[in-house]
């Protein structure tokens, strides 16, 4: 057999060659398909990852000087809650709002409300004008701080059962404090918000009693864009819609003392303070890697503004509400009804349900919280005992001395993590509203808690952490 015959005999048959060809073709097709599918999912995954942020490393700079106390507001750090993060297998990050100069997240709101009023021409500094607000304390302290810095006086009307430290802080800041018994908003004579509005309506420039009307300086209402915000002037000229003034008269009119009811509950500036401030800060600080945001609500501005911004950047972010005992917001989110289990039908004129938590929780729907309802995905009820336990747990394990609303937010954070079954490094951001410095007489007073039958038991948190998802 010659060489040619040998080669011909070694060649595969036509049928075998055809099978070999189809095999190679199918192999190449599968390989290309697999590569294409992998590339597709890689592109899709990259598309889902956040890209619209401005990375900024944490740095210390010697040339950064802010202009006055208002320059210290905002840009608060995110702190990793080490004990909770390690126990849960996720990253629990707290927005340290207690580091604002006024000591709470409310500094942002107070500054924005005053700044917006100035920009609208409703307020002018160093004119003897006075800002009125009804509050349980933190917003009042923030308003008094910023009012003093910007050239205004402040009158704060607050319930007589709030922590005494808040009253002392207000007085130290030069605020005029009026205390009333706790009451529902429907009580026109006692609810602190209603009284603050009336004080602004009847504003007098007389220094001896700035909160009361004066026969010589009858206040006139100034039209505002919001029906809730009240601005009055002590100018003697009656205001008419078509009144024309020359430039000199306008300047003189603007320099007359004014009364301004800020109305944190309904004022949209509250919402925008967080939509334009807190939300973007969190997005930048996390570089967009965030899975959930947890917040309590009093006025509703924090959860509405921050949650709305984060959702606009990443639709999958879960927004969860933390709500203390006695508040109706939990039931509003879960069942669509503003009603607390401790209340009976027809008793909305009752005093506020007793709770040791201050700053969050409410039994009416505000305009600011109404903005939050469409974006809230989950809600959690937090008891007084759980909030107290969390505060002591954090001091013991992390050295963090926090207030009641901060503790509530962290209890709700644990509940959210457990409900979602997270344990693989997911990131949850919450608000650390204020420190424990404003809560010595109640929330951080074991004798007071014992009289209120609220246990101080850190094992509550240990059990909560140990619960199965």
């Amino acid at each position: 057999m010659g060489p040619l015959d040998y080669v011909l005999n070694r060649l595969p048959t036509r049928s075998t060659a055809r099978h070999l060809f189809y095999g190679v073709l199918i192999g190449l097709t599968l390989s290309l398909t697999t590569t294409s599918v992998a590339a597709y999912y890689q592109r899709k995954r990259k598309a889902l990852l956040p890209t619209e942020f401005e990375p900024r490393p944490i740095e210390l700079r010697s040339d950064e000087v802010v202009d006055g106390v208002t320059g210290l507001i905002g840009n608060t750090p995110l702190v990793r809650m080490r004990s909770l993060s390690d126990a849960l297998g996720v990253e629990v990050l707290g927005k340290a709002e207690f580091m604002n100069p006024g000591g709470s997240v409310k500094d942002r709101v107070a500054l924005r409300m005053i700044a917006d009023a100035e920009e609208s021409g409703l307020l002018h500094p160093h004119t003897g004008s006075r800002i009125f607000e009804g509050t349980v304390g933190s917003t009042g302290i923030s308003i008094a701080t910023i009012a003093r810095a910007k050239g205004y006086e402040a009158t704060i009307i607050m319930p007589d059962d709030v922590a005494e430290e808040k009253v002392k802080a207000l007085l130290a800041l030069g605020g005029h404090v009026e205390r009333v018994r706790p009451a529902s908003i429907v009580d026109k004579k006692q609810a602190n918000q209603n009284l603050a509005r009336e004080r602004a309506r009847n504003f007098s420039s007389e220094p001896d009693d700035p909160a009361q009307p004066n026969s010589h300086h009858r206040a006139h209402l100034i039209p505002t864009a919001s029906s809730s915000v009240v601005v009055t002037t002590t100018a003697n000229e009656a205001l008419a819609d078509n009144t024309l003034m020359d430039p000199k008269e306008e300047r003189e009119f603007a320099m007359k003392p004014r009364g301004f009811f800020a109305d944190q509950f309904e004022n949209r500036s509250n919402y925008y303070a967080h939509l334009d401030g807190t939300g973007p800060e969190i997005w930048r600080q996390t570089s967009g890697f965030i899975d959930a945001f947890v917040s309590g609500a009093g006025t509703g501005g924090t959860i509405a503004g921050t949650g709305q911004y984060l959702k606009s950047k990443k639709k999958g972010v879960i927004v969860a509400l933390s709500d203390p005992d006695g508040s109706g917001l939990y039931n509003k989110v879960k069942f669509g009804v503003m009603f607390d289990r401790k209340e009976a039908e027809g008793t909305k004129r009752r005093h506020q349900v007793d709770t040791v938590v201050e700053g969050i929780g409410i039994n009416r729907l505000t305009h600011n919280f109404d903005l939050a309802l469409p974006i809230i995905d989950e809600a959690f009820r937090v008891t007084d005992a759980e909030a107290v336990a969390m505060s002591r747990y954090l001091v013991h394990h992390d050295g963090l001395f926090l207030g009641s609303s901060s503790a509530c937010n962290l209890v709700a954070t644990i509940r959210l993590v457990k409900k979602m079954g997270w344990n693989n490094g997911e990131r949850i951001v919450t608000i650390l509203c204020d420190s424990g410095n404003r809560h010595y007489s109640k929330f951080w007073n074991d004798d007071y808690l014992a009289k209120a039958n609220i246990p101080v038991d850190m094992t509550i948190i240990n059990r909560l952490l140990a619960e199965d998802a």
Side-chain angles (χ1 to χ4, degrees), residues 294-309:
V294 179
S295 174
T299 64
T302 304
I303 194 169
T306 308
Q308 184 67 55
Y309 182 85

Side-chain angles (χ1 to χ4, degrees), residues 200-216:
R201 284 182 179 275
N202 298 322
F203 171 64
S204 165
S205 62
E206 293 299 300
D208 56 337
D209 195 356
Q212 299 298 331
N214 181 278
S215 59
H216 301 296

Side-chain angles (χ1 to χ4, degrees), residues 144-420:
T145 299
I146 297 165
R148 182 62 65 186
K150 292 176 75 70
Y152 301 101
E153 302 296 330
T155 291
I156 306 302
I157 300 176
M158 58 198 308
D160 59 12
D161 65 344
V162 300
E164 193 64 30
E165 296 81 21
K166 297 180 180 181
V167 179
K168 292 178 179 178
L170 281 166
L171 294 173
L173 288 164
H176 176 87
V177 179
E178 183 176 349
R179 306 183 72 176
V180 297
R181 66 175 176 82
S184 165
I185 191 68
V186 300
D187 191 331
K188 300 298 183 183
K189 294 182 178 180
Q190 286 295 326
N192 54 0
Q193 285 293 109
N194 292 332
L195 284 176
R197 181 183 289 106
E198 285 306 304
R199 297 294 185 261
R201 284 182 179 275
N202 298 322
F203 171 64
S204 165
S205 62
E206 293 299 300
D208 56 337
D209 195 356
Q212 299 298 331
N214 181 278
S215 59
H216 301 296
H217 293 90
R218 188 170 63 88
H220 298 280
L221 281 172
I222 296 176
T224 66
S226 170
S227 60
S228 66
V229 175
V230 174
V231 183
T232 58
T233 177
T234 57
N236 290 325
E237 301 85 357
L239 295 177
D241 291 338
N242 298 319
T243 299
L244 294 178
M245 298 183 184
D246 60 39
K248 181 180 178 182
E249 289 174 330
E250 287 184 355
R251 286 194 298 271
E252 291 177 351
F253 180 77
M255 295 305 290
K256 295 290 185 179
R258 294 182 177 184
F260 174 73
F261 171 54
D263 196 12
Q264 59 168 325
F265 288 89
E266 313 299 337
N267 193 328
R268 193 63 63 87
S269 297
N270 184 342
Y271 166 78
Y272 285 117
H274 300 289
L275 182 71
D276 298 337
T278 317
E281 287 176 27
I282 291 173
W283 182 256
R284 173 179 59 80
Q285 290 169 318
T286 60
S287 294
F289 293 99
I290 175 174
D291 297 290
F293 173 68
V294 179
S295 174
T299 64
T302 304
I303 194 169
T306 308
Q308 184 67 55
Y309 182 85
L310 294 174
K311 287 269 194 184
S312 73
K313 305 299 283 185
K314 185 179 178 182
K315 291 182 179 179
V317 172
I318 294 173
V319 176
L321 171 73
S322 163
D323 206 36
D325 266 341
S327 172
L329 297 180
Y330 169 84
N331 283 334
K332 181 64 179 178
V333 173
K334 301 293 282 189
F335 311 112
V337 179
M338 284 291 292
F339 180 73
D340 181 75
R341 62 190 175 188
K342 290 186 178 181
E343 295 181 308
E345 289 288 358
T347 60
K348 279 295 182 182
R349 291 184 62 85
R350 65 188 303 289
H351 295 342
Q352 182 180 346
V353 176
D354 288 336
T355 176
V356 75
V357 175
E358 295 181 356
I360 60 174
I362 194 173
N363 275 324
R364 67 182 177 91
L365 187 61
T366 68
H367 291 325
N368 282 307
F369 188 78
D370 197 37
L371 295 171
L373 282 173
I375 62 162
I376 296 178
D377 303 294
E378 190 54 86
F380 299 95
R381 173 82 74 187
V382 180
T383 67
D384 283 348
E386 289 170 334
V388 169
M390 176 59 77
S391 67
R392 274 59 174 182
Y393 181 92
L394 291 171
V395 163
H396 183 77
H397 292 280
D398 298 82
L400 281 170
F401 182 49
L402 300 176
S404 55
S405 52
S406 303
C408 274
N409 288 343
L410 289 164
V411 171
T413 297
I414 295 177
R415 289 237 168 85
L416 175 65
V417 171
K418 293 291 185 179
K419 182 168 185 177
M420 298 301 297

Side-chain angles (χ1 to χ4, degrees), residues 61-129:
R61 300 191 302 180
S62 60
D63 61 342
E64 188 170 294
V65 178
V66 299
D67 186 18
V69 71
T70 58
L72 297 171
I73 296 173
N75 292 309
T76 54
L78 275 182
V79 56
R80 180 178 184 268
M81 315 299 288
R82 295 178 62 181
S83 64
L84 299 181
S85 298
D86 293 344
L88 293 167
V90 300
E91 294 296 294
V92 179
L93 307 178
K95 185 74 165 145
E97 291 298 289
F98 56 84
M99 295 184 70
N100 282 304
S104 81
V105 66
K106 293 299 185 179
D107 280 12
R108 298 176 183 267
V109 178
L111 178 60
R112 184 62 183 258
M113 290 191 299
I114 295 172
D116 285 352
E118 290 177 334
E119 187 175 342
S120 302
L122 298 175
L123 275 178
H124 303 277
H126 306 292
T127 57
S129 296

